[in-house]
Amino acid sequence: MATGRTHRPATRSRGIPEATVARLPLYLRALTALSERSVPTVSSEELAAAAGVNSAKLRKDFSYLGSYGTRGVGYDVEYLVYQISRELGLTQDWPVVIVGIGNLGAALANYGGFASRGFRVAALIDADPAMAGKPVAGIGVQHTDELEHIIESDGVSIGVIATPAGAAQQVCDRLVAAGVTSILNFAPTVLTVPDGVDVRKVDLSIELQILAFHEQRKAGEEAGPDSGAPAPAARAAAAAGDRKGPDGDMPAVMPA
């Protein structure tokens, strides 16, 4: 079986735009659901709706893959699953190392979707000596002293960082120095990496803050400029002033 170190996806060399690459997993998720229901074909409109995009954009994206469907029939579901999986590099084995086995790291290790999508958790790494040898998701945690050896022996090219922010850059540097060229960062910090290393950042707090912005804007639109209702921020402050915490009044504005 091929490993991630020796076979890279061909998307860049074939000139597929990054925006299209970002949507391919959405199409694959929708197609996989159709495949599990034994649906043989799907129209561009149906698939676009399931993936949350418009059908014109979907057809344009698929044209980069050389897939145009059949007029009056649509797209062959199984073939598209294979075609997109191949383009994303999911038809081969991608060993992954997760560094930082706290609550988040342990949750990631227990996620059952890795194996079905072509990713194999090769190792779980933590800096706490007390964690060494403890099984998480059936895998024994190893100390960070073993990091470079594990990356070399397992041919790891993808690293997942789930450490506290203060340790993330050092872990990143070690991963890159050992040969990792793709990093998924869950730590709440921006990582500095050299050219040729790809970093994807997942920050749940930022996503929640964006949702809070939209909620505040929707509340303001519902109230209207002449309704006499207090602004969202004022309502929040008033509500906070009415709540009691275990140590007395809660502050109107919580510290960041």
Side-chain angles (χ1 to χ4, degrees), residues 5 29 53 60 70 74 79 110 112 115 137-138 154 166 183 191 196 217 234 236 241 255:
R5 181 59 60 83
R29 181 174 60 189
V53 303
K60 180 66 173 178
T70 303
Y79 179 69
N110 279 284
D154 285 291
I183 294 173
L191 299 176
R217 186 174 63 177

Side-chain angles (χ1 to χ4, degrees), residues 82-115:
Y82 165 74
Q83 194 175 23
I84 295 176
S85 296
R86 182 186 61 184
E87 198 64 45
L88 290 173
L90 305 183
T91 56
Q92 57 201 52
D93 174 48
W94 293 97
V96 176
V97 61
I98 301 175
V99 185
I101 313 302
N103 292 334
L104 178 57
L108 293 171
N110 279 284
Y111 174 56
F114 283 128

